[in-house]
Amino acid sequence: MPTFMIFKNQQIVDTIRGADPRKLSEAVKKLAAEADSDGSAASGGFGETSSARWLGAGLPKGYSDVTDQVDVRGLDLLNADSGFGTSRTLFEAAKPSALEAGKGKTKSEDKESGKDWVETDTDEQLMLYIPFQSTLKVHTLHITSLPPKGDDEAPMRPKTVQVYSNRAHVLGFEEAEDLPATQAITLRPQDWDEKTGTAKIELRFVKFQNVSSLVVFVVDGEGSGEKVRVDRLRIIGESGEKRELGKLTKVGDEPGE
């Protein structure tokens, strides 16, 4: 018996058993309607998609959101203020609470909903280690930063970001400054979308093949403040072979090494 499986975001969303023209036609119409509703995101616009995970920017053609491949158990975050969110907060599926401000909520209600973002502690630098459950091809990073407007003491958005691939652990700040980054990016004010507070960092794709981990180093912020704020981070690309977590690979076993 022929079986048709419909996938969305790498998950099976429907299964049709048997060659039933009516059911197949209904499935195609449903997919077409969903594609139309997601058209702004698919074509590079900003906003939410129909998937459960919030996205602050559109997906490049041919690539998907692979943030679900982040191994949250291995995340490490340096110089984060403990009064705000943790490393896991950056990968939460929900829309940032800052985008709900002014939509029927009072300021006190917003505060009670929790601080679902990360702020730096002693200065403007932030170091994040991101291990993956599978080997990825990473095309783009989406960084969302939503500091309040009109507040002189508000934290800044990231300006200079350095990305390192396939490191075994988080880097120390002095260590990162001495190592050449896989790619260094300088974000400009116009790179941030006004509605979602998201900037797209397009990586040099050829340098981010077979990626098992990333280190994202926020070097400084845009402005003269003392702290930097990050609300969400999304990984865009292609997922590959699952990694055997915890397995050690011997390096340098050629004769004479």
Side-chain angles (χ1 to χ4, degrees):
M1 178 184 292
T3 302
F4 300 87
M5 292 184 292
I6 299 172
F7 290 80
K8 187 171 185 179
N9 295 326
Q10 302 177 1
Q11 295 182 348
I12 299 175
V13 295
D14 197 5
T15 301
I16 301 172
R17 301 186 184 280
D20 188 325
R22 182 181 60 82
K23 289 184 178 179
L24 288 171
S25 178
E26 289 176 354
V28 170
K29 289 179 180 178
K30 182 180 177 182
L31 288 171
E34 290 179 355
D36 287 341
S37 66
D38 292 344
S40 61
S43 62
F46 297 110
E48 293 178 85
T49 69
S50 61
S51 62
R53 188 179 304 278
W54 177 84
L55 289 174
L59 296 175
K61 188 175 181 180
Y63 299 97
S64 60
D65 176 15
V66 292
T67 309
D68 60 350
Q69 294 303 307
V70 172
D71 180 10
V72 294
R73 297 168 299 177
L75 290 170
D76 203 352
L77 184 63
L78 303 183
N79 195 38
D81 189 331
S82 60
F84 297 87
T86 66
S87 56
R88 294 192 180 200
T89 304
L90 299 173
F91 302 99
E92 286 183 0
K95 176 191 289 189
S97 62
L99 291 177
E100 299 293 345
K103 295 183 179 180
K105 289 186 177 182
T106 64
K107 290 185 177 180
S108 61
E109 287 174 332
D110 282 334
K111 289 180 180 178
E112 291 174 2
S113 65
K115 297 177 179 178
D116 65 331
W117 65 86
V118 167
E119 285 192 19
T120 57
D121 189 9
T122 58
D123 57 26
E124 58 192 325
Q125 294 192 328
L126 194 71
M127 189 77 69
L128 174 64
Y129 174 68
I130 313 168
F132 299 116
Q133 301 175 46
S134 62
T135 345
L136 304 182
K137 294 180 179 180
V138 184
H139 182 278
T140 308
L141 300 180
H142 291 178
I143 297 183
T144 301
S145 179
L146 296 159
K149 297 178 181 179
D151 185 348
D152 293 337
E153 297 183 0
M156 303 175 290
R157 283 174 166 165
K159 179 182 178 182
T160 307
V161 179
Q162 295 183 180
V163 183
Y164 305 80
S165 64
N166 295 332
R167 308 301 302 184
H169 52 75
V170 70
L171 299 175
F173 290 100
E174 292 184 2
E175 182 183 7
E177 290 175 353
D178 292 336
L179 286 174
T182 310
Q183 185 171 341
I185 305 99
T186 300
L187 293 169
R188 303 163 300 170
Q190 59 266 37
D191 292 330
W192 299 92
D193 180 65
E194 292 183 4
K195 292 183 178 179
T196 66
T198 300
K200 294 190 292 187
I201 296 178
E202 295 184 359
L203 301 177
R204 297 189 187 98
F205 196 45
V206 68
K207 292 190 174 183
F208 291 89
Q209 308 286 309
N210 300 316
V211 177
S212 59
S213 69
L214 290 176
V215 173
V216 178
F217 176 25
V218 178
V219 181
D220 54 27
E222 182 67 50
S224 57
E226 297 180 354
K227 295 190 175 186
V228 161
R229 168 171 168 163
V230 181
D231 291 63
R232 294 290 185 273
L233 183 62
R234 298 290 185 254
I235 315 295
I236 311 301
E238 299 176 4
S239 58
E241 184 179 349
K242 284 280 184 180
R243 295 176 57 219
E244 294 183 41
L245 301 180
K247 181 179 178 181
L248 297 177
T249 303
K250 187 177 180 181
V251 178
D253 51 1
E254 294 292 329
E257 290 188 340

